[in-house]
Amino acid sequence: MTSNDLVKSILQRDVDEQDRILKSTEVTKPCPVDIDLGNLLVWDPNVVDQQAYKENREEYIKNTMRDNMQLFVNALWQVPIERHDNAVVAKLPDAKTVVPREKPVPKPKPLTKWQKFAQSKGIVKRNKSKFVWDETKQEWGRRYGYKKANDDTKPWLIEVPGSADPNEDQFAKRLAAKKERVAKNEFQRLKNIARANKINVRNDGAIINKKSSTNDVKKALATAKYSDASMGQFSEQAAPDEARQTRGFSKKRKFESNLGSLKNEKNKQLKLFEQMNSSTAK
Amino acid sequence: MRPLTDEETKILFEKLSKYIGDNVRMLLERPDGLYTFRLHRERVYYCSEAIIKYASNFPRKELLSFGTCFGRFTKTRKFRLHITALDFIAPYAKFKVWLKPNAEQQFLYGHNVVKSGLGRITENTPKYNGVIVYTMNDMPLGFGVAAKSTIECRAADPMALVVFHQADVGEFLRNEDALT
């Protein structure tokens, strides 16, 4: 063999070797790797080669990563495969490793007044049908909600009962009764919420024993301050840094002085204009 | 009377730059003295330092007007430019519209401008940009908003609206009391 041919054959051999390594899907590891396809997890218990790691960290990590990925992809192709419109989909098995809860266990909600009563009496909820037969319209309509069947408030004729005042508007009466029922339901819903969150609410809606937040106190202070005849100008400071604390809560707005330095004003306005233009230019 | 707050100044400048663009600077920086804006009863007045000093001697209820009224802030803090600002805006106008003589009267009565009344329009007027309306003799008539860009104007049919009327000098007769 001539030296030229020899060189060529050596180079070819190297190229083949490289090809073989690149195209190989075989990976051998001293300790078998644990693959959890359900979680897309590869758990590699092999001992880290300390020397190789110290020599070239990035290279070592890349190689181990590549090997593990290869094993993972091999396992992925073992799993039953479906094809949907040119997309190959693998059906993953259930997850093996148990992952801890992300959020804490939800607390049981306190029962509403009705739920408590139903529990004590042993009343069981019976699911009603969503649609009812409307005799007048001769069709099925919703039991409740938009355009419900047998809507009480929408008759074209209401007979005035014998005992009623002839000048009373029966239609308005029915509408008012409906509004009353809706309001009552809303009220009871809110009472349930208050009871669940342990907020003491009085009849008129005011909250008893309410612990004021800091913002409430600041607002109250600011309000009290400007509630006197001179709008709090001559009142003492309640705290040394009161002005800072109550900054957002006082009613009176502060403006620049009318006869202040006009040159400063001009500069400020020019700067504002520049700012406006630069932001709009972006 | 008080100086404008930052938000109010911003709103004012935005409105002005719709008509005169960058030349708002010219209004602020004048060689012949310090001119600025003041707010009085929700109206914005443009005046020189000296005028402000004189005007501040009057009680608020009795002070009617000082300097030039540019416009007023509405209840929801939008700025409405009045015709009284025309003298200051017209020299710095960026986009202009010239009307034919027969269309002038329509505009002065408060109507919008139709394509058939359009004499000339500056090149590259963007759509919905503020324009100053002139007669063919270069006399300013008022403000408007371009309903169509220059290119669209050329292609529009004669009865199409090209300029929305905002303010015109006829208002000096029609809305005397609203102008201060």
Side-chain angles (χ1 to χ4, degrees):
Chain A
M1 249 201 280
T2 60
S3 58
N4 207 7
D5 285 331
L6 188 63
V7 167
K8 253 200 237 171
S9 69
I10 293 172
L11 287 173
Q12 190 59 39
R13 196 169 23 125
D14 277 339
V15 167
D16 286 336
E17 185 68 32
Q18 287 288 341
D19 272 343
R20 199 190 71 87
I21 292 172
L22 271 174
K23 288 175 186 167
S24 160
T25 55
E26 305 160 1
V27 174
T28 46
K29 290 232 164 185
C31 198
V33 142
D34 184 17
I35 300 179
D36 179 3
L37 279 169
N39 276 330
L40 295 178
L41 175 70
V42 172
W43 182 248
D44 183 0
N46 287 302
V47 177
V48 169
D49 181 354
Q50 292 290 356
Q51 202 184 21
Y53 185 79
K54 269 188 216 148
E55 268 175 46
N56 191 347
R57 190 179 297 184
E58 283 298 323
E59 200 62 39
Y60 181 75
I61 291 175
K62 204 159 63 158
N63 287 335
T64 8
M65 179 66 203
R66 188 252 146 218
D67 288 341
N68 287 332
M69 267 310 279
Q70 186 62 68
L71 288 168
F72 178 74
V73 170
N74 291 347
L76 206 56
W77 279 106
Q78 301 302 322
V79 141
I81 288 170
E82 298 171 355
R83 278 169 209 271
H84 293 275
D85 312 323
N86 305 331
V88 184
V89 177
K91 277 195 87 74
L92 298 176
D94 290 332
K96 275 191 285 180
T97 41
V98 180
V99 180
R101 266 185 97 81
E102 185 199 338
K103 296 204 186 9
V105 179
K107 281 175 276 201
K109 279 195 278 206
L111 297 172
T112 64
K113 200 161 170 194
W114 165 254
Q115 281 172 333
K116 262 188 245 166
F117 177 75
Q119 223 175 41
S120 69
K121 289 279 185 173
I123 300 171
V124 170
K125 185 174 183 179
R126 235 161 270 171
N127 288 330
K128 306 186 185 105
S129 63
K130 208 165 174 185
F131 289 89
V132 275
W133 179 248
D134 188 342
E135 206 49 57
T136 43
K137 282 196 242 169
Q138 289 289 306
E139 60 182 22
W140 292 94
R142 292 185 186 85
R143 181 186 289 277
Y144 60 87
Y146 178 66
K147 283 192 184 163
K148 68 179 185 207
N150 308 321
D151 194 346
D152 185 65
T153 51
K154 290 185 162 71
W156 60 277
L157 180 91
I158 304 180
E159 290 174 10
V160 176
S163 54
D165 174 19
N167 291 330
E168 190 183 18
D169 186 352
Q170 295 295 330
F171 295 99
K173 191 169 157 197
R174 284 212 185 167
L175 281 172
K178 169 96 179 142
K179 280 204 178 143
E180 198 53 50
R181 277 177 271 143
V182 170
K184 178 178 176 246
N185 187 280
E186 183 65 17
F187 183 62
Q188 289 179 326
R189 185 182 76 89
L190 293 172
K191 279 212 313 205
N192 274 327
I193 293 171
R195 195 181 306 113
N197 296 331
K198 301 219 175 31
I199 303 171
N200 285 336
V201 184
R202 214 165 48 200
N203 262 355
D204 55 357
I207 299 175
I208 310 170
N209 298 331
K210 178 183 176 186
K211 302 263 168 69
S212 310
S213 64
T214 19
N215 278 348
D216 288 337
V217 176
K218 286 179 188 176
K219 188 161 185 206
L221 175 61
T223 320
K225 254 306 194 51
Y226 70 68
S227 300
D228 65 5
S230 51
M231 304 273 267
Q233 272 176 357
F234 307 115
S235 312
E236 278 174 12
Q237 295 264 348
D241 61 346
E242 185 196 301
R244 184 182 69 88
Q245 297 274 22
T246 57
R247 192 166 292 160
F249 298 98
S250 49
K251 207 171 172 185
K252 198 165 168 65
R253 295 187 294 170
K254 287 244 147 68
F255 301 118
E256 301 291 317
S257 156
N258 185 23
L259 298 167
S261 160
L262 266 134
K263 201 147 69 131
N264 283 351
E265 217 185 280
K266 180 186 77 168
N267 289 337
K268 204 162 68 131
Q269 285 177 339
L270 275 171
K271 210 161 65 165
L272 200 79
F273 187 60
E274 302 293 328
Q275 250 183 350
M276 246 173 62
N277 271 0
S278 64
S279 60
T280 51
K282 276 175 199 167
Chain B
M1 184 191 339
R2 63 166 174 86
L4 300 168
T5 60
D6 282 343
E7 296 92 56
E8 288 165 355
T9 326
K10 214 184 258 188
I11 298 170
L12 173 68
F13 285 168
E14 263 169 29
K15 196 63 190 257
L16 287 177
S17 42
K18 265 202 189 157
Y19 292 92
I20 59 180
D22 240 7
N23 292 331
V24 175
R25 242 183 285 265
M26 305 287 187
L27 282 176
L28 293 173
E29 282 174 342
R30 280 166 71 130
D32 57 342
L34 281 171
Y35 277 71
T36 187
F37 296 98
R38 280 287 181 275
L39 199 83
H40 175 61
R41 289 169 168 240
E42 301 310 312
R43 288 195 145 86
V44 174
Y45 294 97
Y46 179 68
C47 42
S48 65
E49 195 178 354
I51 302 281
I52 291 178
K53 289 204 174 130
Y54 292 138
S56 60
N57 291 319
F58 291 91
R60 284 194 195 148
K61 287 213 178 126
E62 295 174 23
L63 182 63
L64 265 184
S65 170
F66 56 97
T68 328
C69 174
F70 260 38
R72 67 178 192 89
F73 278 102
T74 65
K75 185 170 186 184
T76 48
R77 254 48 195 111
K78 296 194 173 64
F79 184 70
R80 183 161 272 281
L81 198 62
H82 283 179
I83 190 61
T84 38
L86 188 65
D87 285 331
F88 291 96
I89 308 274
Y92 302 124
K94 282 226 151 156
F95 299 109
K96 306 181 184 171
V97 165
W98 286 265
L99 295 186
K100 295 193 187 139
N102 33 0
E104 278 171 33
Q105 198 170 44
Q106 286 294 306
F107 184 72
L108 288 176
Y109 277 135
H111 300 300
N112 299 323
V113 178
V114 215
K115 166 85 187 293
S116 53
L118 189 70
R120 266 160 64 195
I121 184 168
T122 21
E123 276 295 318
N124 302 326
T125 316
K127 198 173 181 182
Y128 305 133
N129 199 277
V131 291
I132 313 284
V133 177
Y134 290 84
T135 64
M136 284 323 257
N137 305 332
D138 278 328
M139 204 167 76
L141 283 179
F143 306 125
V145 170
K148 294 185 157 48
S149 62
T150 319
I151 315 159
E152 285 176 23
C153 273
R154 298 220 177 89
D157 61 290
M159 277 294 115
L161 285 182
V162 288
V163 175
F164 295 128
H165 169 280
Q166 294 280 82
D168 66 277
V169 286
E171 276 178 28
F172 283 114
L173 291 174
R174 299 197 315 267
N175 293 354
E176 264 189 83
D177 11 337
L179 285 178
T180 68

